[in-house]
Amino acid sequence: MAAKPSSLLIFQPRLNLRLKPFIFSSSSLAFSIILRIPFPKASFFGNRKFHSSLSAVSSAQSTGDGGNGGGRSGALSPTLVAEELQKIDVNPPKGTRDFPPEDMRLRNWLFNNFREVSRVYGFEEVDFPVLESEALFIRKAGEEIRDQLYCFEDRGNRRVALRPELTPSLARLVIQKGKSLSLPLKWFAIGQCWRYERMTRGRRREHYQWNMDIIGVPEVTAEAELLSSIVAFFKRIGLTAADVGFKVSSRKVLQEVLKCYGIPENMFGKVCIIIDKIEKIPLDEMKKELKVVGVSEDAIEEMLQVLSVKSLTKLEEILGGGGEAMSDLKQLFSLAEKFGYSDWIQFDASIVRGLAYYTGIVFEMLFQGFDRGGKLRAICGGGRYDRLLSTFGGDDLPACGFGFGDAVIVELLKEKKLLPELNVEVENIVCALDPDLQGAASRVATILREKGQTVDLVLENKPLKWVFKRATRINAQRLILVGSSEWQRGMVGVKDLSSGEQREVKLDELN
């Protein structure tokens, strides 16, 4: 049976509005927020006198003085419309999240660890608009990210997009600042990113991403520093090399193979994008895509042989030891040993990364015991991108960086039972024992807050039983009671909620 129209109307003088209010349905999670003025049901359902009296009220309100003609002339009388109310879905859009207090505490804990690691490594924080020009993210055909953009035309007929990653925005800012920047740059950012993609565990359509980037250092020492910072983060949150590890390679490995078969350099990005699908699509399909872009069958077989290599010794047997790829990788593994994270890192030639702008060392941090087709996706990934700035019209600078999402790491911490207990904690709860003392309680709260203490001020006249329950829920350390006799003597009652000790304290000695 259809719900009856509500007897509650919205009344807005001077505006002729047609509104479709919402009704609350107890059988759903729908809700509404409306301004309501009750009228008798009998009047609503067909009483003609109701309409005439409402017009009189409207006329009186429009004159501003109860009908005495003192108001602005020509004011509009409202049109009142009552319609059956519609339901809305109270869940966030698919693939997005709310952050109620308990989830916000976890997010803040994670971000604080991101920031602290960045700080001790000497990086400065930056940020960029969530909304960017669409052109910033459309680079070369075939990139998966191109088909995942949340993009649209704004009211100024400009093509814009919600950022799917942070690196292009970083490149734009570096170009904008130009020669005013002092190199090298060591910047980090924590920002929300959007991709319309198929959702799986640890993969959402919005996520927050921690990026660390080094601009202006051509040596592999920059990549070694970035890998060290990620290891430092994992150690902070309780993970070890037995839980996670890096798989590292270089785009230059594939470049050397393709060069032997005469594959032009401008095809290299497309080939890498296809190779990145090696564990996502059937092998025959991948071979077919490589043939379409002009890779010969012999070259494909040679690439597949190289991509299966898991040791630098074996790679050197295939490529020889004189190329840039081998030189970079040997140096990186040597530095890993000196930094102290050699047990966190292994070579895997199949790591190429799916973004076209990578040019050298590339890496992914994965769960030990799971390959990329396993339960969870890579935790983070990155590499060198020396030629990104020129794609946006700037002068190229040597650069490398990584992106680290918030969703996958939380899933891993859940799996490892390493999520911290993050309960709300307040130092003081302040309560007036009499409604007339609410102002005095407010003064006590102000004194403590000015000293840097956290205070939950009870804003209503509540019984002490309720106050004690609230103190337990917020893990308050002290209960401060403002009573009449104590206040007259310039004192307040203080109860230590862990020991149960109670005492009176002078207001000027309260700390």
Side-chain angles (χ1 to χ4, degrees), residues 232-277:
F233 169 79
F234 281 118
K235 287 179 177 179
R236 282 180 65 90
I237 63 173
L239 291 169
T240 69
D243 302 311
V244 292
F246 289 107
K247 289 188 177 182
V248 178
S249 187
S250 172
R251 285 260 178 117
K252 294 174 183 178
V253 171
L254 277 183
Q255 269 182 319
E256 291 184 21
V257 173
L258 293 175
K259 198 179 293 183
C260 293
Y261 288 89
I263 305 298
E265 191 173 333
N266 62 359
M267 298 297 298
F268 181 64
K270 290 181 181 179
V271 171
C272 286
I273 290 164
I274 296 169
I275 293 295
D276 189 55
K277 303 174 185 177

Side-chain angles (χ1 to χ4, degrees), residues 38-248:
F39 292 96
K41 281 190 176 180
S43 297
F44 180 79
F45 291 108
N47 188 332
R48 293 177 181 272
K49 290 183 179 180
F50 167 79
H51 293 289
S52 60
S53 63
L54 184 59
S55 298
V57 172
S58 173
S59 175
Q61 291 197 351
S62 67
T63 61
D65 63 351
N68 293 330
R72 186 179 300 171
S73 62
L76 298 174
S77 298
T79 299
L80 298 173
V81 180
E83 301 182 21
E84 184 169 340
L85 308 178
Q86 294 184 343
K87 302 172 184 177
I88 67 166
D89 186 356
V90 297
N91 294 307
K94 189 174 181 180
T96 67
R97 298 166 288 177
D98 291 315
F99 287 91
E102 61 274 14
D103 293 338
M104 200 66 194
R105 288 195 292 273
L106 177 60
R107 193 179 97 179
N108 287 338
W109 170 83
L110 184 65
F111 288 10
N112 287 341
N113 278 290
F114 289 159
R115 286 192 169 92
E116 183 60 17
V117 169
S118 302
R119 184 189 68 80
V120 299
Y121 274 76
F123 282 63
E124 294 183 281
E125 187 166 9
V126 293
D127 199 5
F128 326 99
V130 174
L131 188 70
E132 288 273 20
S133 167
E134 182 187 50
L136 198 60
F137 306 107
I138 298 176
R139 290 177 296 271
K140 297 180 182 179
E143 285 193 31
E144 186 181 40
I145 203 170
R146 186 188 183 106
D147 301 321
Q148 296 173 348
L149 283 179
Y150 278 90
C151 51
F152 57 95
E153 191 173 278
D154 69 9
R155 293 186 180 184
N157 301 317
R158 293 171 290 259
R159 294 294 304 174
V160 292
L162 297 177
R163 64 186 181 200
E165 56 163 328
L166 301 177
T167 307
S169 296
L170 171 75
R172 176 185 57 72
L173 181 58
V174 170
I175 294 170
Q176 178 200 122
K177 292 295 184 182
K179 295 187 183 301
S180 67
L181 294 172
S182 178
L183 300 178
L185 306 176
K186 296 175 76 175
W187 287 356
F188 81 96
I190 302 169
Q192 191 178 39
C193 300
W194 294 81
R195 294 190 188 189
Y196 193 87
E197 59 182 341
R198 185 177 63 86
M199 292 181 299
T200 59
R201 185 183 172 203
R203 184 190 293 254
R204 297 184 174 90
R205 289 176 179 168
E206 63 81 21
H207 70 281
Y208 284 86
Q209 188 164 299
W210 171 40
N211 275 34
M212 290 179 70
D213 294 87
I214 299 175
I215 312 290
V217 178
E219 287 82 13
V220 178
T221 49
E223 286 94 326
E225 174 88 336
L226 292 173
L227 294 178
S228 174
S229 69
I230 299 170
V231 170
F233 169 79
F234 281 118
K235 287 179 177 179
R236 282 180 65 90
I237 63 173
L239 291 169
T240 69
D243 302 311
V244 292
F246 289 107
K247 289 188 177 182
V248 178

Side-chain angles (χ1 to χ4, degrees), residues 217-388:
V217 178
E219 287 82 13
V220 178
T221 49
E223 286 94 326
E225 174 88 336
L226 292 173
L227 294 178
S228 174
S229 69
I230 299 170
V231 170
F233 169 79
F234 281 118
K235 287 179 177 179
R236 282 180 65 90
I237 63 173
L239 291 169
T240 69
D243 302 311
V244 292
F246 289 107
K247 289 188 177 182
V248 178
S249 187
S250 172
R251 285 260 178 117
K252 294 174 183 178
V253 171
L254 277 183
Q255 269 182 319
E256 291 184 21
V257 173
L258 293 175
K259 198 179 293 183
C260 293
Y261 288 89
I263 305 298
E265 191 173 333
N266 62 359
M267 298 297 298
F268 181 64
K270 290 181 181 179
V271 171
C272 286
I273 290 164
I274 296 169
I275 293 295
D276 189 55
K277 303 174 185 177
I278 193 167
E279 293 182 10
K280 302 173 186 175
I281 63 175
L283 189 58
D284 288 343
E285 189 176 330
M286 191 186 76
K287 288 180 178 180
K288 192 182 297 182
E289 288 190 25
L290 287 169
K291 287 177 183 176
V292 168
V293 298
V295 183
S296 69
E297 195 160 328
D298 288 344
I300 291 173
E301 293 305 320
E302 177 75 11
M303 277 195 302
L304 292 177
Q305 182 188 349
V306 171
L307 291 171
S308 67
V309 173
K310 307 296 181 187
S311 79
L312 285 180
T313 304
K314 180 67 175 176
L315 182 68
E316 192 168 11
E317 290 175 8
I318 297 172
L319 298 182
E324 283 187 25
M326 283 305 305
S327 175
D328 289 349
L329 288 165
K330 282 181 175 180
Q331 186 184 1
L332 180 63
F333 276 79
S334 174
L335 287 166
E337 191 169 341
K338 292 178 174 63
F339 270 104
Y341 60 83
S342 58
D343 54 337
W344 293 71
I345 185 171
Q346 68 181 77
F347 175 73
D348 185 335
S350 69
I351 302 298
V352 296
R353 304 291 292 159
L355 295 172
Y357 55 67
Y358 288 117
T359 57
I361 295 288
V362 286
F363 56 86
E364 290 182 355
M365 172 64 85
L366 300 162
F367 306 103
Q368 298 287 27
F370 300 113
D371 61 22
R372 286 191 292 170
K375 293 181 181 179
L376 294 166
R377 68 186 300 185
I379 308 168
C380 69
R384 180 159 288 276
Y385 52 93
D386 287 348
R387 293 194 289 272
L388 178 60

Side-chain angles (χ1 to χ4, degrees), residues 21-36:
F22 292 133
I23 247 176
F24 179 81
S25 170
S26 61
S27 62
S28 71
L29 290 176
F31 72 93
S32 63
I33 302 174
I34 56 175
L35 174 65
R36 296 182 168 185

